[in-house]
């Protein structure tokens, strides 16, 4: 019997079907990844298992940037999301890519644009100004609208008590959602590429799970 986290469970589940799977990736409410590492690169591993030549390394990639190395790509909206979080200054990478925070990032951008008079004629709603009221699921709904269609966008605006949003407002909201989600996808891709470059295998399958993915 063994206790494993979700990334390791994903790696094992995928590896049952694909022998080339060496990375487990979770992009959901939280974000993390694990990968198979040769024992010679794991200095602190115990010598009690002489027959072992590989181990699973849990990267805890969500904590990347906690030493401020990511400040060059962080925005004032990222800082705002972090400032109202329960673990301020921690899991900074996760706060840019995971479901727990993406909706709040979009909300912070929209509030900023509203206060500057760029959308909603400068008048928002109580929900718009309420922390965590904009769900990450709203991003998926809005992005599922086809070009020049606003069915789901209108539904989200109604849920946020912004029923008088103009077509221009809807366009801006859709663009903000796209920018936030695309940035998250690029950051996740960079993290996976870094792991693959570290492994230096000719071909590697990545097992992925999570609601945001």
């Amino acid at each position: 019997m063994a206790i494993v986290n979700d990334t390791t469970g994903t790696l094992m589940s995928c590896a049952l079907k694909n022998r080339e799977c060496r990375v487990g990736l979770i992009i959901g409410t939280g974000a993390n990844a694990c990968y198979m590492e040769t024992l010679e690169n794991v200095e602190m591993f115990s010598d009690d298992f002489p027959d072992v030549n590989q181990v699973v390394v849990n990267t805890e990639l969500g904590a990347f940037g906690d030493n401020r190395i990511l400040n060059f790509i962080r925005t004032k909206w990222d800082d705002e999301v972090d400032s109202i979080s329960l673990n301020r200054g921690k899991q900074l990478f996760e706060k840019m890519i995971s479901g727990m925070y993406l909706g709040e990032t979009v909300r912070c951008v929209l509030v900023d644009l509203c206060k500057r008079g760029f959308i909603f004629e400068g008048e928002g709603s109580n929900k718009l100004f309420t922390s965590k009221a904009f769900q990450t699921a709203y991003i998926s709904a809005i992005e599922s609208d086809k070009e020049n269609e606003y069915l789901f966008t209108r539904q989200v605006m109604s849920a946020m008590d912004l029923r008088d949003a103009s077509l221009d407002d809807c366009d801006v909201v859709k663009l903000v959602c796209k920018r936030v989600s695309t940035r998250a996808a690029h950051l996740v891709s960079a993290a996976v590429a870094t792991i693959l470059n570290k492994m230096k295998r000719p071909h590697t399958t990545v097992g992925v799970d999570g609601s945001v993915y």
Side-chain angles (χ1 to χ4, degrees):
M1 182 180 296
I3 298 175
V4 300
N5 70 1
D6 50 0
T7 56
T8 307
T10 298
L11 187 157
M12 294 168 63
S13 177
C14 183
L16 281 173
K17 301 177 181 179
N18 188 314
R19 303 284 292 189
E20 295 299 322
C21 182
R22 296 292 189 279
V23 179
L25 176 68
I26 297 291
I27 305 295
T29 304
N32 194 13
C34 68
Y35 74 102
M36 298 300 300
E37 180 61 272
T38 56
L39 197 58
E40 63 187 36
N41 293 328
V42 187
E43 298 176 359
M44 298 181 66
F45 191 77
S46 170
D47 294 330
D48 297 338
F49 304 94
D51 296 331
V52 172
N53 56 22
Q54 290 188 88
V55 294
V56 178
V57 173
N58 174 27
T59 67
E60 289 295 346
L61 63 78
F64 181 54
D66 287 4
N67 60 353
R68 302 298 182 264
I69 199 171
L70 289 178
N71 282 5
F72 74 103
I73 58 170
R74 288 176 53 78
T75 68
K76 61 181 180 180
W77 304 301
D78 293 313
D79 292 336
E80 186 175 349
V81 170
D82 179 49
S83 70
I84 60 177
S85 67
L86 296 177
N87 56 344
R88 187 172 180 177
K90 303 293 184 182
Q91 300 297 112
L92 296 182
F93 191 64
E94 183 173 81
K95 288 172 182 174
M96 302 170 77
I97 63 177
S98 74
M100 184 176 289
Y101 304 101
L102 291 181
E104 182 64 8
T105 302
V106 168
R107 189 194 69 84
C108 288
V109 176
L110 296 180
V111 167
D112 185 24
L113 294 175
C114 180
K115 288 182 176 179
R116 294 160 64 186
F118 294 135
I119 55 174
F120 312 134
E121 296 184 347
E123 296 183 8
S125 65
N126 288 333
K127 281 192 176 180
L128 180 65
F129 297 123
T130 300
S131 298
K132 302 178 182 178
F134 196 100
Q135 302 173 22
T136 296
Y138 290 165
I139 300 176
S140 299
I142 289 171
E143 287 203 89
S144 67
D145 271 339
K146 296 179 181 178
E147 188 175 357
N148 298 322
E149 292 185 7
Y150 305 96
L151 174 63
F152 294 112
T153 304
R154 288 289 188 192
Q155 291 178 0
V156 172
M157 293 298 94
S158 179
M160 294 296 293
D161 294 334
L162 296 164
R163 296 177 181 84
D164 296 327
S166 67
L167 291 179
D168 285 342
D169 292 335
C170 290
D171 272 337
V172 172
V173 171
K174 288 175 69 173
L175 181 61
V176 170
C177 288
K178 184 176 181 179
R179 290 291 185 266
V180 170
S181 64
T182 300
R183 183 187 71 158
H186 288 170
L187 290 172
V188 171
S189 300
V192 173
T194 300
I195 292 172
L196 295 175
N197 287 339
K198 172 72 169 63
M199 298 175 73
K200 295 184 174 129
R201 299 182 80 244
H203 176 80
T204 298
T205 297
V206 179
V208 191
D209 199 4
S211 55
V212 173
Y213 173 76

